[in-house]
Amino acid sequence: MVQTLAPATRTGGRHGGVGDAIFAGTARGLGCFVLLLLSAIIVSLFIGGLPSFRAFGIGFLWDTTWDPVKQQFGAGVPVFGTLVTSILALLLAVPLAFGIAFYLTEIAPDWFRRPVGTAIELLAAVPSIIYGMWGFFVIVPIMGQYVMPALADTFADVPVLGTLFGGPPFGTGILTAALILAVMVIPFIAATMRDVFMTVPPVFKESAYGVGCTTWEVMRSIVIPYTRVSVMGGIMLGLGRALGETMAVTFVIGNADRIATSLFDPGNTIASIVALEFPESPAGSLKLSSLLALGFILFVISFIVLAISRLLLRPRSA
Amino acid sequence: MSSTMMMAGAAPARDARVARALSRRRRIFDRLVKGLCIVATVIGLMLLASILFTLFWRGFASLGLHVFTNITRPPGSHGGLLNAIVGSLIQTLLGTVIGAPIGLLVGTFLAEYASGSALGNAVRFVSDILLSAPSILIGLFVYTILVEPFGGFSGIAGCVALAVIVVPIVVRTTEDMLRLIPIALREAAVALGAPKWRMIVQVCYRAALDGIATGVLLAVARVAGETAPLLFTSLGNLNWSVSLSQPMASLPVTIYQYAGSAFDDWVDLAWAGALLITIGVLALNIVARVALRPRA
């Protein structure tokens, strides 16, 4: 408010002072309101989860029981499922997103960049529930009939991979959930990578081309080193999206309350268990409190990941 | 790159065959990587095509006038989605009406009043976190403050949950757009004796109108498809109800309930609803992008 314009506004309109005070005050107040909003979300989830934290103590974080009959609840299975599906999703999504971003910045003809870029961005706009239906009706049958049996046959005799790719091929499960999540985060990571690749000063790239580098060598030796930090930020942003994704995962994860030993096993993520179990959790019950406690844990994980992503993506000061 | 250059430096033209082979290897590797990138892009485009194709194929087959004229009914009795469509329109509209002005003013605060201040940086950081925060948690939050204490699920709780999602989207675009306004324009307004708030409202908002409207459109597109926050707030309602104090139906929640059901006609209705939502959301996105185009 106290900027270079302040003296001019003082001598300006007769009601300028009052109007300015009201306008600036409202804007500032709403800014503080946004701060309060985030704090209120954290506090309300924590208070809601308090009975559960009291009943099960710190062990709630890793306990793997989820037994509504015995009123025993632990966060182990959904936290495990959330981390495994999200990290698998990133492993699948990052190479594809990198390829798309590389294509859009260095390879595609100029007239082609805009339509392809827009199409990839539209992929990010498709609502989560649509991914869920598409996953459930299109991807799950393909996984169950072709992909999972093929993977199981290929790795049947390999020690570790045989277990990872073993078990009955229902089509649903951890791997399918990770696949859908990957599809959903590809556009976010690709768009961020494209934007940061474009920040590389052309003169750097031209110098490299000038000494005879191929496009890939320019990418590897100039663009990637220059944008490394921001690329990590984009990947973290994708991770943040994957961690909290609800509807798409709910459709395909299979809803099982035990630790999966195979990638074909059904499981649960924090978001999917909250969405699936909430209707059967009456207000005031220990189960509802446990779901809110799970929400609190998810919030803390997302907050950390998103905060790191923001710090990495901060525009570099000149 | 470095190895080949060292090679050339250490043994200039002593073995032309080695140099040629190296450059051929580099070119082949370059082609290979480019090829893989094209494959990645084709996969990305095919995913979008597959989603759209499935939606159009299954959605149009079950789309009919009854979807818009009948409300949801028990399986087998030729129901429609009228209450869900109306419920979605009400909640999306009210959510935007509540959230967009807050987002607009917070964005203004960040661009015009709080450049570089600690408070401004904190607000920007928190708003960015909210922008990417899992929407299911916003639903749980509104459940604990508006549903549990007031003894029931309600349409207004759904609107509030959507408004919380709208705010950070509008904040981001408003701030970005206001920062693009040339200083000369502001100075001209101030030189004419306008107080700062009139400069913002009458000059900056007007100049940034396209961009701000784009942000609001994108926010509408985002919340129109949100399901998770509504599960805990407006819950869904299989009867006709436009009362904000009662549970309210919405397209995404109805799709969620119907798609997982065992009844074929419900699953068909879910596809019809999914097609409607996707067309709406993608159309809003395309309109928003076209509106922004002259600037980009």
Side-chain angles (χ1 to χ4, degrees):
Chain A
M1 192 177 163
V2 194
Q3 275 180 352
T4 47
L5 301 177
T9 43
R10 274 297 129 73
T11 55
R14 255 162 294 165
H15 308 292
V18 183
D20 266 351
I22 294 174
F23 192 81
T26 317
R28 178 181 298 266
L30 287 172
C32 297
F33 169 75
V34 170
L35 290 181
L36 277 178
L37 198 60
L38 190 83
S39 330
I41 294 176
I42 301 175
V43 170
S44 74
L45 290 177
F46 183 75
I47 292 178
L50 210 52
S52 177
F53 286 130
R54 282 225 184 89
F56 306 115
I58 188 79
F60 179 77
L61 289 178
W62 54 81
D63 191 76
T64 56
T65 353
W66 187 272
D67 191 341
V69 182
K70 289 191 203 144
Q71 290 286 299
Q72 276 289 327
F73 302 103
V77 174
V79 168
F80 173 81
T82 304
L83 297 178
V84 169
T85 50
S86 301
I87 291 168
L88 265 180
L90 279 191
L91 290 180
L92 294 167
V94 168
L96 274 171
F98 173 80
I100 293 172
F102 186 20
Y103 177 80
L104 285 176
T105 48
E106 301 291 334
I107 305 173
D110 276 341
W111 59 272
F112 205 50
R113 287 179 191 187
R114 185 150 196 138
V116 174
T118 307
I120 298 295
E121 281 166 21
L122 285 185
L123 205 52
V126 173
S128 163
I129 180 112
I130 307 298
Y131 279 103
M133 283 186 80
W134 176 71
F136 188 69
F137 289 101
V138 178
I139 300 300
V140 167
I142 295 179
M143 291 295 284
Q145 279 169 25
Y146 305 104
V147 180
M148 285 182 172
L151 284 172
D153 285 348
T154 315
F155 297 111
D157 303 323
V158 188
V160 179
L161 294 178
T163 326
L164 277 183
F165 295 105
F170 291 123
T172 53
I174 302 273
L175 183 64
T176 313
L179 197 67
I180 304 286
L181 280 178
V183 176
M184 298 185 70
V185 300
I186 282 173
F188 285 102
I189 303 179
T192 318
M193 281 187 181
R194 179 195 58 184
D195 292 347
V196 300
F197 287 170
M198 303 243 241
T199 63
V200 178
V203 65
F204 288 9
K205 290 196 278 185
E206 282 156 14
S207 319
Y209 283 122
V211 299
C213 289
T214 62
T215 315
W216 164 245
E217 285 162 352
V218 171
M219 193 68 193
R220 201 193 60 188
S221 321
I222 307 292
V223 177
I224 292 180
Y226 189 85
T227 57
R228 203 169 34 214
V229 173
S230 311
V231 165
M232 279 309 295
I235 294 173
M236 293 301 264
L237 185 66
L239 179 61
R241 292 268 168 181
L243 288 169
E245 191 44 64
T246 312
M247 302 321 294
V249 175
T250 304
F251 268 96
V252 298
I253 187 103
N255 188 23
D257 300 322
R258 56 192 158 77
I259 296 271
T261 50
S262 151
L263 292 179
F264 298 172
D265 279 351
N268 251 329
T269 67
I270 293 178
S272 77
I273 200 172
V274 171
L276 288 164
E277 302 275 337
F278 178 82
E280 290 131 43
S281 313
S285 67
L286 191 58
K287 190 173 175 193
L288 184 69
S289 169
S290 301
L291 293 180
L292 290 168
L294 279 175
F296 177 73
I297 296 172
L298 176 61
F299 196 95
V300 172
I301 301 175
S302 310
F303 185 89
I304 294 170
V305 168
L306 292 172
I308 295 175
S309 145
R310 275 300 132 207
L311 291 179
L312 294 176
L313 281 174
R314 232 175 4 187
R316 43 179 83 206
S317 41
Chain B
M1 168 190 148
S2 52
S3 65
T4 53
M5 270 168 33
M6 261 157 55
M7 202 69 159
R14 220 176 62 188
D15 195 336
R17 271 177 309 158
V18 172
R20 257 205 309 279
L22 267 176
S23 89
R24 188 161 52 216
R25 217 179 64 197
R26 289 170 53 209
R27 275 208 309 271
I28 290 173
F29 195 71
D30 186 55
R31 293 254 169 82
L32 188 75
V33 173
K34 280 183 180 169
L36 286 176
C37 289
I38 293 173
V39 170
T41 310
V42 169
I43 291 177
L45 295 178
M46 273 172 56
L47 290 169
L48 181 66
S50 163
I51 291 170
L52 292 181
F53 175 77
T54 315
L55 274 174
F56 279 94
W57 177 48
R58 299 286 302 259
F60 270 123
S62 27
L63 202 60
L65 204 58
H66 66 96
V67 173
F68 302 98
T69 54
N70 295 350
I71 69 160
T72 47
R73 286 184 194 159
S77 52
H78 210 62
L81 293 170
L82 180 64
N83 51 339
I85 295 171
V86 172
S88 258
L89 288 177
I90 293 175
Q91 290 174 78
T92 305
L93 213 69
L94 263 181
T96 314
V97 167
I98 300 170
I102 299 177
L104 180 70
L105 279 169
V106 176
T108 310
F109 171 67
L110 291 179
E112 306 288 334
Y113 291 99
S115 295
S117 78
L119 179 64
N121 287 339
V123 171
R124 187 177 301 112
F125 177 78
V126 163
S127 174
D128 279 345
I129 297 273
L130 278 177
L131 186 63
S132 306
S135 59
I136 188 169
L137 297 181
I138 290 164
L140 280 179
F141 162 64
V142 175
Y143 172 83
T144 60
I145 62 159
L146 280 182
V147 176
E148 216 173 25
F150 294 95
F153 299 95
S154 63
I156 192 71
C159 299
V160 170
L162 295 184
V164 174
I165 298 170
V166 167
V167 169
I169 304 176
V170 177
V171 169
R172 176 113 301 268
T173 42
T174 304
E175 189 195 353
D176 288 349
M177 289 305 142
L178 286 177
R179 286 190 185 281
L180 290 178
I181 311 266
I183 299 287
L185 218 55
R186 299 162 201 268
E187 284 171 348
V190 173
L192 289 174
K196 186 168 182 180
W197 72 274
R198 294 194 68 146
M199 170 201 91
I200 294 171
V201 174
Q202 296 188 322
V203 176
C204 296
Y205 282 174
R206 202 173 285 183
L209 191 62
D210 286 359
I212 293 172
T214 301
V216 175
L217 280 183
L218 289 177
V220 172
R222 165 87 192 275
V223 298
E226 279 293 348
T227 318
L230 297 181
L231 286 176
F232 314 113
T233 50
S234 61
L235 186 70
N237 192 335
L238 294 178
N239 299 311
W240 174 258
S241 168
V242 288
S243 161
L244 285 175
S245 57
Q246 295 296 315
M248 190 181 269
S250 61
L251 261 182
V253 172
T254 311
I255 294 171
Y256 174 57
Q257 290 162 341
Y258 277 20
S261 78
F263 310 107
D264 284 342
D265 60 332
W266 274 20
V267 174
D268 285 345
L269 271 179
W271 280 110
L275 178 67
L276 290 178
I277 282 220
T278 312
I279 290 180
V281 167
L282 293 188
L284 279 172
N285 265 278
I286 291 169
V287 168
R289 270 160 231 279
V290 170
L292 195 65
R293 184 169 282 203
R295 248 163 229 293

